[in-house]
Amino acid sequence: MKAASAFFALMLLATPADAADHTPDDGYVILLHGHSRSPHLMQKMQRDLSAHGFAVLNLDYPSRAYDIRNLVEIIWPQVDAFVKDKSKPVSFVGHSMGGLMARAYVTAYPPQHMGRMVLLGAPNHGSEVADLLKDAKLYKHFGGAAGQELTTTWQSGAAFGAVNYDVGVIAGTRSIDPVSSAIIPGQDDGKVSVKSTALAGMKERLILPVTHTFMPENPGVIRQTRQFLTTGAFLPARPHS
């Protein structure tokens, strides 16, 4: 009983950092930050999308406390309550692990009218950095259950369904973490390889010279995200399939 009470208490913590209370012209957008991050990193994205007609929910959630499936259960009541007009499209933007959260959410609770999804540096095939650190006591403590799900060997099972909606992927090639980059094969953003961002069924992938940590705040990334959510395609700028 105590465990259940604690779980539902944490559900109350998964509250929007800020959400515009209006009928959206272009639908709803759910923003999901990465592991050990906060909605603050998504605020510039939120302001831009709100200014262009979307109703935006910039969620906070305890990313270190539970695994991805349980985190989806935690955020579901907030998302469901926010989407007042079920006939409007519901889109998702996920940074890093937030991208995995978005995919898992749509699998568990597909919106009545699914919009589009943009994944920012999401480790769709895991991260070699997580592989190296997964058995370290400090990483286990700091990363929690979700941290173990960021490895390249994690078996997602039914957490992620088939991609039957428009997905745009943005990958970065600039790093401010030379140690991590030395571990990751090929091009990377300091945390995730470009190769790992690929997703079967994605509509388009865009590779930009941006870093993993600050990707959601990059003006070019914000502009391209809005473009994809609005049109289903990125602006011409080194797209890769």
Side-chain angles (χ1 to χ4, degrees), residues 102-179:
R103 291 174 57 200
Y105 184 94
V106 170
T107 300
Y109 298 105
Q112 182 174 315
H113 187 178
M114 179 64 193
R116 300 183 173 104
M117 184 181 294
V118 178
L119 305 179
L120 308 177
N124 291 309
H125 299 281
S127 171
E128 289 81 5
V129 177
D131 289 346
L132 182 67
L133 299 176
K134 65 179 181 179
D135 295 324
K137 289 183 179 180
L138 184 60
Y139 180 79
K140 286 183 176 181
H141 173 73
F142 183 77
Q148 295 297 311
E149 296 177 336
L150 301 180
T151 64
T152 62
T153 57
W154 178 55
Q155 300 298 314
S156 60
F160 306 133
V163 175
N164 54 9
Y165 45 88
D166 286 353
V167 177
V169 172
I170 298 180
T173 60
R174 184 167 293 170
S175 174
I176 56 175
D177 187 348
V179 176

Side-chain angles (χ1 to χ4, degrees), residues 158-231:
F160 306 133
V163 175
N164 54 9
Y165 45 88
D166 286 353
V167 177
V169 172
I170 298 180
T173 60
R174 184 167 293 170
S175 174
I176 56 175
D177 187 348
V179 176
S180 292
S181 290
I183 298 169
I184 302 171
Q187 290 184 305
D188 68 89
D189 62 10
K191 299 297 181 184
V192 178
S193 69
V194 169
K195 182 179 180 181
S196 182
T197 64
L199 179 64
M202 65 183 179
K203 186 175 182 183
E204 194 173 348
R205 180 168 63 162
L206 187 67
I207 299 175
L208 298 174
V210 294
T211 66
H212 186 84
T213 300
F214 301 109
M215 190 180 294
E217 296 184 317
N218 182 274
V221 170
I222 293 172
R223 181 173 63 254
Q224 291 283 10
T225 297
R226 171 172 24 96
Q227 178 72 14
F228 191 90
L229 292 178
T230 303
T231 69

Side-chain angles (χ1 to χ4, degrees), residues 32-35 61 93-103 119 122-123:
L32 295 167
H33 63 77
H35 189 276
Y61 61 94
V93 178
H95 174 229
S96 193
M97 192 188 83
L100 305 185
M101 289 272 297
R103 291 174 57 200
L119 305 179

